[in-house]
């Protein structure tokens, strides 16, 4: 049922984005049900997509900043095994609730941070050898 419901959730989130493209709809102040969206046919469904959820909550400008940061990070990391780790995390956040859960977000951000720090360290070592 999760895979069947996802296109419906994506459609609902897209409609929310269209309704409030620049300022977003804001976060759920009730905190119940947590990070879910209501559909008249299916009832309460998990959002399943961090990027669309962030766009629906905050608007287009934060998503543009997030996209800019992501592209800049992947460029800094370069094409190596670290790129695979970061790409996996980013792709996962398109189909799972990753960055809205503190435990998952912490692990993902630590992995990305280690990848960035390791790539910076390697670039400094290469520069000092020359």
């Amino acid at each position: 049922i999760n895979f069947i419901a996802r296109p419906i959730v994506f459609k609902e989130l897209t409609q929310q984005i269209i309704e409030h493209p620049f300022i977003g709809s804001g976060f759920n102040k009730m905190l119940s049900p947590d990070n879910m969206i209501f559909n008249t046919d299916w009832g309460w469904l998990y959002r399943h997509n961090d990027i669309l959820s962030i766009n629906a909550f905050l608007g287009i400008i934060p998503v543009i900043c997030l996209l800019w940061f992501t592209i800049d990070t992947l460029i800094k990391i370069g094409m190596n095994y670290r790129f695979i780790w970061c790409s996996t995390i980013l792709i996962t956040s398109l189909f799972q609730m990753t960055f809205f859960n503190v435990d998952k977000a912490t692990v993902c951000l630590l992995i990305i941070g280690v990848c960035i720090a390791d790539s910076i360290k390697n670039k400094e070592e290469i520069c000092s050898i020359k």
Side-chain angles (χ1 to χ4, degrees):
I1 193 164
N2 284 339
F3 292 109
I4 297 170
R6 287 182 186 184
I8 296 164
V9 171
F10 297 165
K11 182 179 175 186
E12 292 283 336
L13 289 172
T14 304
Q15 288 175 350
Q16 282 186 1
I17 294 167
I18 291 169
E19 288 174 14
H20 303 284
F22 297 107
I23 58 170
S25 62
F27 286 96
N28 182 3
K29 293 172 184 57
M30 298 180 300
L31 297 177
S32 176
D34 189 27
N35 226 353
M36 297 179 88
I37 193 167
F38 185 76
N39 180 278
T40 54
D41 296 328
W42 288 78
W44 289 102
L45 300 169
Y46 285 105
R47 290 179 168 259
H48 290 297
N49 189 311
D50 288 341
I51 305 300
L52 285 178
S53 293
I54 290 170
N55 201 339
F57 286 143
L58 301 176
I60 294 172
I61 295 171
V63 173
I64 290 170
C65 294
L66 179 65
L67 183 63
W68 184 7
F69 171 78
T70 302
I71 291 169
D72 188 49
T73 300
L74 292 175
I75 290 170
K76 285 180 183 175
I77 289 173
M79 293 299 287
N80 52 41
Y81 68 93
R82 290 180 231 95
F83 185 85
I84 295 170
W85 290 353
C86 290
S87 297
T88 302
I89 291 169
L90 295 171
I91 291 170
T92 301
S93 71
L94 291 173
F95 299 101
Q96 296 292 324
M97 293 307 295
T98 305
F99 286 101
F100 285 93
N101 297 329
V102 175
D103 53 343
K104 292 178 186 177
T106 302
V107 171
C108 291
L109 291 174
L110 283 173
I111 291 170
I112 291 172
V114 167
C115 291
I116 292 170
D118 193 38
S119 65
I120 291 171
K121 180 182 172 187
N122 284 345
K123 287 180 183 175
E124 288 175 356
E125 288 174 0
I126 290 171
C127 290
S128 65
I129 293 174
K130 290 181 181 180

